[in-house]
Amino acid sequence: MPWNVDNAVATLQTNARASSAGYCARYVRDAIGAGGIALQRTRDAKDYGTSLVAAGFTRYDAMPEGGYKKGDVAVMQGLASSPAGHMQMFDGSVWISDFKQNGFWAGPGYRTHKPAFKIYRHP
């Protein structure tokens, strides 16, 4: 089954909660699955990069030229307060993980510390 970014994004939008439940990787992984790509599970959100690349996503070390596109996935390293890291997907307008975020950074700790991240895009 080929990648269907519209199904992935629609699933993520439908399942998004009002606030974080701490299941960012699960929600994004499930949305990617609804789009037709099964990811190998990892323990922590910060470790999903290898699984995304193995599934055909291209890794970018910064914002891709031309900006973010619908279906882009960001994988962030952890913080002292959130060692598992964070995973989110861009729906074309906003970033969503297990909730609709107010920007690229998922919360105050991420906005303050701005941990390392990579962007993954399926061709």
Side-chain angles (χ1 to χ4, degrees), residues 1-4 6-12 28-38:
M1 175 190 223
W3 169 241
N4 186 321
D6 293 324
N7 283 354
V9 166
T11 297
L12 196 59
V28 174
R29 183 189 68 232
D30 289 350
I32 291 169
I37 295 176

Side-chain angles (χ1 to χ4, degrees), residues 20-103:
S20 178
Y23 298 114
C24 61
R26 179 187 303 171
Y27 278 61
V28 174
R29 183 189 68 232
D30 289 350
I32 291 169
I37 295 176
L39 295 179
Q40 181 179 353
R41 292 180 181 208
T42 69
R43 181 172 163 236
D44 293 328
K46 66 183 173 113
D47 298 325
Y48 265 92
T50 302
S51 182
L52 287 159
V53 169
F57 285 75
T58 300
R59 185 183 89 181
Y60 296 86
D61 293 332
M63 180 190 297
E65 188 174 324
Y68 298 119
K69 292 185 179 179
K70 184 179 188 178
D72 282 356
V73 176
V75 175
M76 297 180 187
Q77 294 306 297
L79 305 171
S81 60
S82 182
H86 185 68
M87 188 165 144
Q88 60 194 28
M89 181 185 287
F90 191 61
D91 78 349
S93 298
V94 298
W95 288 95
I96 304 173
S97 51
D98 55 347
F99 70 104
K100 290 183 180 178
Q101 301 176 189
N102 291 323

